[in-house]
Amino acid sequence: MIRIQGGRPLHGSVAVSGAKNAALPELASVLLSDRSFKIRNVPDVADIRVMLRALEGLGAEADFNEGDVEIRIPGINTCSVPPEIVRTSRASILLLGPLLARTGEARVSLPGGCPIGDRKFDFHLEGLRRMGARIRVEDDFIVGRAPRLRGIDYTFPGVSVTGTENLLMAACLAEGETILRGCAREPEIGDLISLLRGMGAQIVSEGNDVIRVQGGSGLAGITHRVIPDRIEMGTYLIAGGFPGNDVTVEGGDPDAVTILISALRESGIRVESNGNAIRVHGADRILPLNVETEPFPGFPTDLQAQMTTLLTQAEGESRIKENIFDNRFQHTVELGRMGASICVDGDTACINGPTPLRGCPIHATDLRASAALVLGGLIASGETVVRNADQLFRGYENLPEKLRGLGAQIRVEKE
Ligand code: EPU
């Protein structure tokens, strides 16, 4: 659990770690080659550890040291990814495409039920089926077979980040050309494309939602540096916006959080960008906002919960509409226990502020909700105890240490 003594202002600088959601598919792409890889700037978070364990189970020789993963999969021991390894992370689905492409077989444990809503994977399966794979779901496993995948012209029925990544990776070893339309455009996909190109894959992406891949074989190993984590960066930028705070976030990519910076400015918070450093001056008076989550470049669903906490301190009524997931407002119940006034109607949360928050025991339901609750604890009076804090460590590297560096009183205790 995480114990926070609230009410201490945050001052100073904090550095951004590598992006979890870029590193995950990049580690999965190592399956496409039998060569050695060095992937730098990998965040040491639980979801990455799970991915490494799953790859080791498949035959990877891996070493993870101070952000550098050295990894090689000379041969595949088994095509099965068991539930006991991947239960806590949905990223196991990312192994399906590359495993099928490399070996012609895959048996991947179904991604577990996720507390943020019905997270489907039908586009992944449909795309791989069109590439010639026979896929069935059996005994909680996705089981696939494909002697050789072949290129397709596929239009995603909806925008999917890991769906785009899965088909993109599979297409690199498929026979002939694949054209993927309606792709997600998140920066993590751009980073995956740059890793795959470095391996020798022929990929053309013109910055729109169409990606063309000329399939081949014999992909090389490379050294690659993972992009900074825009969601972690956004979380600290939001933290900086509360009254009395003054936080500089260093080492991130300001272009990846343009929409957040605009939202913060619109709410009266002063944000200064200087190269890769962004300084946020907490505002005494925060204005209410209307925010709607969208695929990139829209407002990220992964910052919705943290923004909700900020808007509990805005003067008047704010509205947040969640368009990506159908059950991603569970943090609002816990924030309500702390004194926030939030009412959720379907896909929209209405927040009335400002309301002082008071510390109490609260329960983290998912990764980003736990970050939102920590932000609540930092501004609350008295002590906040966040239970189920393992959720936080799935995706935030050294968060308590980083916040302590800014002056927060926060520590981790055994639950
Ligand atoms: N969807 C389908 N069918 C599919 C795939 C998706 O209907 O085959 C729907 C989903 O149910 C959802 C929407 O499409 O309503 C978007 O889902 P998407 O596939 O884009 O989500 P994801 O790839 O499973 C990634 C991130 C999430 C992030 C979302 C949206 C990774 C490993 N995960 O998930 O990150 O919220 O994109 O940006 O990249 C997090 O880091 O906290 C996190 C949840």
Side-chain angles (χ1 to χ4, degrees):
M1 69 177 102
I2 296 176
R3 199 178 286 277
I4 306 166
Q5 307 296 332
R8 325 258 148 161
L10 302 184
H11 283 176
S13 297
V14 61
V16 180
S17 298
K20 163 186 82 92
N21 287 349
L24 285 169
E26 288 168 3
L27 287 170
S29 345
V30 169
L31 275 165
L32 299 172
S33 166
D34 58 2
R35 303 306 172 84
S36 300
F37 289 76
K38 188 164 189 172
I39 305 189
R40 297 177 181 276
N41 202 32
V42 177
D44 193 353
V45 295
D47 277 12
I48 294 291
R49 293 275 173 185
V50 168
M51 177 57 90
L52 285 172
R53 271 207 306 282
L55 290 169
E56 280 167 346
L58 295 172
E61 299 157 359
D63 178 55
F64 187 12
N65 194 11
E66 302 205 349
D68 288 349
V69 173
E70 294 199 28
I71 183 164
R72 179 167 179 233
I73 312 184
I76 304 284
N77 298 336
T78 165
C79 293
S80 187
V81 182
E84 55 277 16
I85 297 185
V86 293
R87 192 180 300 125
T88 55
S89 167
R90 282 190 52 90
S92 58
I93 190 83
L94 285 168
L95 297 167
L96 183 65
L99 200 50
L100 263 178
R102 166 116 174 228
T103 68
E105 259 182 73
R107 190 167 175 273
V108 176
S109 170
L110 278 180
C114 185
I116 61 178
D118 183 14
R119 294 180 69 180
K120 300 193 197 80
F121 47 86
D122 48 320
F123 311 157
H124 303 238
L125 302 197
E126 190 189 334
L128 291 169
R129 281 190 181 118
R130 299 251 188 115
M131 292 175 121
R134 275 186 289 123
I135 300 188
R136 57 187 200 282
V137 177
E138 174 185 286
D139 299 335
D140 292 339
F141 279 87
I142 304 169
V143 183
R145 247 173 218 285
R148 179 84 208 259
L149 295 176
R150 51 175 192 271
I152 47 167
D153 187 334
Y154 180 66
T155 303
F156 284 95
V159 180
S160 168
V161 175
T162 50
T164 302
E165 293 164 347
N166 227 341
L167 296 193
L168 172 60
M169 290 187 283
C172 290
L173 292 188
E175 205 177 320
E177 187 184 43
T178 294
I179 305 174
L180 299 175
R181 304 175 196 271
C183 294
R185 291 185 288 158
E186 269 61 8
E188 292 74 22
I189 290 170
D191 200 40
L192 174 64
I193 291 177
S194 105
L195 171 121
L196 293 168
R197 279 190 185 136
M199 291 168 70
Q202 291 182 43
I203 304 176
V204 179
S205 146
E206 281 148 17
N208 55 16
D209 64 356
V210 180
I211 302 176
R212 290 167 194 269
V213 185
Q214 194 61 50
S217 57
L219 294 179
I222 58 159
T223 297
H224 176 83
R225 188 176 170 83
V226 177
I227 53 169
D229 194 316
R230 67 193 166 95
I231 303 300
E232 185 202 23
M233 180 186 195
T235 303
Y236 291 117
L237 293 176
I238 292 173
F242 290 97
N245 292 353
D246 183 351
V247 172
T248 301
V249 184
E250 289 178 344
D253 175 7
D255 290 343
V257 289
T258 311
I259 190 110
L260 172 67
I261 293 177
S262 307
L264 291 174
R265 285 186 175 142
E266 200 189 323
S267 74
I269 293 167
R270 188 146 69 90
V271 183
E272 291 163 14
S273 190
N274 184 1
N276 281 351
I278 303 181
R279 183 170 176 186
V280 183
H281 303 261
D284 290 337
R285 191 165 166 245
I286 299 172
L287 304 175
L289 289 183
N290 283 334
V291 176
E292 215 172 298
T293 63
E294 304 278 1
F296 191 85
F299 193 92
T301 174
D302 291 345
L303 288 173
Q304 180 259 105
Q306 302 88 315
M307 197 66 183
T308 304
T309 307
L310 180 70
L311 293 176
T312 65
Q313 302 310 303
E315 285 179 17
E317 186 182 278
S318 298
R319 280 171 178 270
I320 297 198
K321 184 159 182 261
E322 172 57 58
N323 290 314
I324 309 291
F325 292 113
D326 56 16
N327 187 24
R328 211 175 197 181
F329 280 131
Q330 295 180 67
H331 50 281
T332 60
V333 177
E334 302 299 301
L335 288 170
R337 283 154 47 75
M338 299 177 83
S341 165
I342 308 175
C343 109
V344 174
D345 183 8
D347 58 8
T348 303
C350 237
I351 308 152
N352 271 292
T355 47
L357 299 187
R358 50 181 185 271
C360 64
I362 42 178
H363 183 83
T365 46
D366 62 83
L367 166 58
R368 307 303 171 187
S370 57
L373 298 181
V374 167
L375 295 183
L378 292 172
I379 57 160
S381 55
E383 183 175 271
T384 297
V385 175
V386 183
R387 300 225 164 86
N388 201 28
D390 283 354
Q391 285 291 339
L392 187 87
F393 301 117
R394 284 182 41 219
Y396 284 94
E397 186 177 58
N398 296 335
L399 178 130
E401 292 81 353
K402 289 186 181 187
L403 285 175
R404 275 201 298 274
L406 295 172
Q409 216 174 331
I410 173 169
R411 62 176 195 272
V412 182
E413 293 176 6
K414 278 221 155 13
E415 208 139 310

